[in-house]
Amino acid sequence: MKAKPYTIFIAILFLLCNLSLHGQQDMKGTEFWLTFGANSGLVYDGRNLQIRIVASDRMATGIIYFTHLNDSVPFSIAPGSVFIYNLTLAQIYAVYNIGTGIRDYSIHITSDNPVSTYALNQKSYSTDATHILPIAALGTDYHLLSYSGTSDCYVLVATQDNTQVYYNGTLTGILNRGEVYYYYYKCYPPPCDITGARITADKSVALFALKPGGLIPYMPLQISASDHLFEQLSPVPAWGKNFFVPVSWRGRDIVRIVASENRTNISQTGGTIRVVQGGQTTLTNLRAGQWVELDISLDSNGCYIQADRPVGVCTYLASYEYTIDLHPDDHSSDPAQAWLPAIEQRIDSAWVTPIIPGSNFTTYINRHHALIITPTATKDSTIVKTGMGTEQALSGGTWYSHASGYSFYDIPLTHDTAYFFSNPFGGLIVMGYGTGAAESYYCLLASAMRNLVKTGFYVNDIHYQEIDSGVICGQPVYFRAKIDSNVSTNPGYLKWYINNVEEVAARDQLFWSKTLAPGVYQIKMVILYKDDITTQTLETSVTIVDLTFDIRTIPETCGKENGSITLTVDSSQPTTIQYAWDGLPDTTATLTGLKAGTYKVTVRDTFCIVEETITVEHIDGPVAEFEANPPTAILGDEIRFTDKSLQGDGKITLWHWNFGDDTESSLQNPAHTYRTAPGKFMVLLKIEDEFGCRDSIEHEVLILKGLDFPNIFSPVGSDGKKYVFRPLED
């Protein structure tokens, strides 16, 4: 039927519904995006793609819209009922992704009231199912959890236009709303396994782990029964640190744990580490994206996992060949994959459904179960009802209690309808699985999808998870807390620690700062919640570095443009130093030939950027001057020369006189006698100070010929005349 999904009325209705989703805490919602990937064989024939939508205690109406076809299917669900829709062949072609690329093969489900949604991808002897997360529970940061096989896949759906998606930091595509990116990877030789790969986007996306055929566990010479794997993954902010893993009736399952942060340490009770290609053989000091595989057994009543940093966990049904020793006459299970939320994601109640295939496939999966996870102390408070029937205690199954204080109940689901489970005292998580003749599915049925990292703190405005083991530069160091409203109102609800020593002055402070010397510091924030008992501890490690440098300047002397700047950097980390001088092409640590003035430099290393304004001073040189006494003298008389130079910033150290008659002196105040001839002589004085500044000046002196007087005088000459006494003339 042709759709009319975007009438004005429905558009307004869906907008109003979306506005209410910001507080989304569980898997129910009013808007979902999904798609399907290739099942084994990579062809369409014989596929059954099914969508199951569960209404809670309110009627729900909406549409299933097929983006590629611009076609939709309406639905209306009574309270406590299930809407089951098996896709037509045309619809299968429009959502069934084969081969790496971008397509618009998506399904958009909208409802006027919150519903729970599931999807099934089945062909003969190859089946799996998944929950579908509402749009408010999606995110931008994921790590893949897949499994080994001859190929590997994942697919994501964009919820907004112009969404950039990345695989391990490499841009793989830009998607518009409703477009999908499907990645198919085949390796030679196998196994192919992209578990741990990081998938990120700049806007929220829905991510699904896919595998056309997985061998679980991967034992090629012993395991032949592969199966399609299909499971939606949760974004990293919804990951937790504490998990309780139930075990299926088959008695032996597989678990994978992937780290989201470096230096992750894990402990577990009830499992055994498996040595597998690509996996780690230790639970300590895992890096982001590294993973560990465990074997868990029903004999241990489940497996309890704890981590000091958020981890993602998937649990898997194994091939019947792996459990044949437990059930010699049974050939009823193939591999399947399910996302397991942390026990922090327990909810009070849930509406769920078994994933029963369409009529053509009912003979293959004939056992359906729910696994109810809850604290042992409150397990007897768990109730169940079918549809809108009467609530009653759990029956028909078995409790398995673990030493951790958690238990699970394996209950058969015998009706193709909605089931309601509740435990308001201890909360619960519901997993679902089914087995049959070489068939199985396993998926999460109900839990919360809270953002478990919305509480946190920042160091220099960097989130504590992002800065972990990172390096920061700058003083003082600023700390800022982000906490929700569920904290205690008593003093001491917020405490800060540096290297396990409380910063008492920062107690109950959301913002504070401190100067820290270069080094490695463990930063811890402890929150006390409103029950005044429960605490949450968040930790990170930071390395504080300084970028400092000594500045040596040589002033410009005497206006000669001979000033200089030399920088000597002291970096607390090995690094490459870069220099940039404003207005100058130089990129080195030394500038020469400078005029007096100010110069701005930017110095950067791997971690720090420091700007500095440096002043080059100037040195005034001396001013030469002298006085001749007397300035006019008779040839042969002595003249005294007196230095009258003005000293600049440096002491005058050299004097050089040239008297103009080929004679010189280096005295400060010399005396000189002109003896050769009368005349005008230019006297030159050159001076130099301790900084090499020089100056000179010339003055004229006048030298006259002396007067000759007779040494004998007679007033009467021999001629009898009288004479006058006066100097002889030339």
Side-chain angles (χ1 to χ4, degrees), residues 33 135-142 156-160 163 165 201-207 235:
W33 287 95
I135 193 170
L138 303 179
T140 61
D141 189 6
Y142 297 81
L156 57 84
V157 186
T159 64
Q160 300 178 54
T163 298
V165 295
D202 63 347
K203 301 178 181 69
S204 290
V205 295
L207 177 68

Side-chain angles (χ1 to χ4, degrees), residues 80-109:
S81 299
V82 182
F83 176 81
I84 303 169
Y85 185 73
N86 294 292
L87 275 62
T88 67
L89 184 60
Q91 292 165 347
I92 291 174
Y93 273 84
V95 299
Y96 196 84
N97 292 275
I98 299 177
T100 299
I102 298 174
R103 305 171 182 86
D104 61 349
Y105 287 3
S106 66
I107 300 175
H108 189 207
I109 299 175

Side-chain angles (χ1 to χ4, degrees), residues 527-538:
I527 304 165
L528 178 66
Y529 284 94
K530 66 181 180 180
D531 61 3
D532 291 324
I533 297 174
T534 304
T535 61
Q536 183 179 8
T537 300
L538 305 177

Side-chain angles (χ1 to χ4, degrees), residues 27 67 169 221-222 277 410 501 559-560 592 609 655 693 709-710:
M27 290 167 49
T67 305
L221 299 180
Q222 300 168 275
Q277 184 172 328
D410 190 338
V501 177
K560 296 180 179 179
T592 58
I609 300 175
W655 295 263
C693 293
F709 286 87

Side-chain angles (χ1 to χ4, degrees), residues 239-257:
W239 293 16
K241 300 180 181 180
N242 304 282
F243 300 79
F244 183 66
V245 191
V247 184
S248 70
W249 74 270
R250 302 197 51 74
R252 185 182 296 148
D253 296 336
I254 300 295
V255 176
R256 279 195 174 182
I257 310 165

Side-chain angles (χ1 to χ4, degrees), residues 31 642 702:
E31 182 179 8
T642 303
L702 177 62

Side-chain angles (χ1 to χ4, degrees), residues 233-483:
L233 304 180
S234 296
V236 170
W239 293 16
K241 300 180 181 180
N242 304 282
F243 300 79
F244 183 66
V245 191
V247 184
S248 70
W249 74 270
R250 302 197 51 74
R252 185 182 296 148
D253 296 336
I254 300 295
V255 176
R256 279 195 174 182
I257 310 165
V258 65
S260 66
E261 300 179 30
N262 292 335
R263 301 192 303 118
T264 296
N265 298 294
I266 302 170
S267 63
Q268 61 87 24
T269 306
T272 303
I273 296 177
R274 300 190 71 251
V275 179
V276 294
Q277 184 172 328
Q280 304 301 303
T281 57
T282 177
L283 295 172
T284 59
N285 200 29
L286 271 64
R287 297 194 304 273
Q290 289 187 328
W291 51 274
V292 178
E293 185 169 312
L294 303 178
D295 182 279
I296 61 174
S297 170
L298 197 57
D299 293 338
S300 299
N301 292 340
C303 178
Y304 184 64
I305 299 169
Q306 288 185 300
D308 59 357
R309 301 168 192 274
V311 296
V313 177
C314 275
T315 180
Y316 303 79
L317 297 183
S319 165
Y320 75 90
E321 294 162 296
Y322 194 60
T323 60
I324 195 70
D325 59 325
L326 301 176
H327 308 283
D329 298 325
D330 182 58
H331 296 265
S332 299
S333 184
D334 271 1
Q337 176 180 355
W339 175 263
L340 179 73
I343 58 176
E344 294 97 320
Q345 299 286 16
R346 299 193 306 277
I347 52 178
D348 291 343
S349 61
W351 287 93
V352 301
T353 181
I355 314 296
I356 299 177
S359 58
N360 292 337
F361 296 91
T362 54
T363 58
Y364 295 120
I365 298 181
N366 51 23
R367 297 184 62 162
H368 303 274
H369 294 248
L371 300 171
I372 314 299
I373 303 168
T374 190
T376 302
T378 60
K379 67 179 186 179
D380 293 334
S381 300
T382 308
I383 61 95
V384 62
K385 68 176 180 180
T386 303
M388 299 304 292
T390 303
E391 296 179 355
Q392 55 187 340
L394 299 180
S395 62
T398 304
W399 278 110
Y400 298 89
S401 296
H402 192 269
S404 62
Y406 286 89
S407 298
F408 73 92
Y409 190 82
D410 190 338
I411 180 173
L413 303 180
T414 57
H415 303 283
D416 190 6
T417 186
Y419 283 79
F420 176 77
F421 294 96
S422 176
N423 186 331
F425 299 99
L428 48 78
I429 291 171
V430 184
M431 308 291 292
Y433 71 98
T435 60
E439 288 280 31
S440 68
Y441 70 85
Y442 198 9
C443 67
L444 171 64
L445 293 182
S447 77
M449 281 292 160
R450 306 179 184 96
N451 184 336
L452 297 180
V453 297
K454 66 181 178 180
T455 295
F457 65 89
Y458 297 79
V459 181
N460 282 15
D461 280 333
I462 305 174
H463 193 271
Y464 79 103
Q465 291 179 328
E466 297 178 4
I467 203 173
D468 186 38
S469 298
V471 177
I472 62 175
C473 176
Q475 298 291 346
V477 181
Y478 294 95
F479 301 89
R480 176 169 58 89
K482 179 184 178 183
I483 57 178

Side-chain angles (χ1 to χ4, degrees), residues 495-544:
K495 294 182 179 181
W496 298 88
Y497 296 82
I498 297 180
N499 291 341
N500 291 318
V501 177
E502 186 189 356
E503 294 292 312
V504 178
R507 185 179 295 176
D508 296 336
Q509 299 297 310
L510 295 177
F511 183 83
W512 59 288
S513 64
K514 187 171 184 175
T515 298
L516 298 173
V520 180
Y521 296 89
Q522 194 72 18
I523 311 299
K524 180 167 62 177
M525 184 181 77
V526 180
I527 304 165
L528 178 66
Y529 284 94
K530 66 181 180 180
D531 61 3
D532 291 324
I533 297 174
T534 304
T535 61
Q536 183 179 8
T537 300
L538 305 177
E539 296 183 70
T540 194
S541 175
V542 299
T543 300
I544 307 297

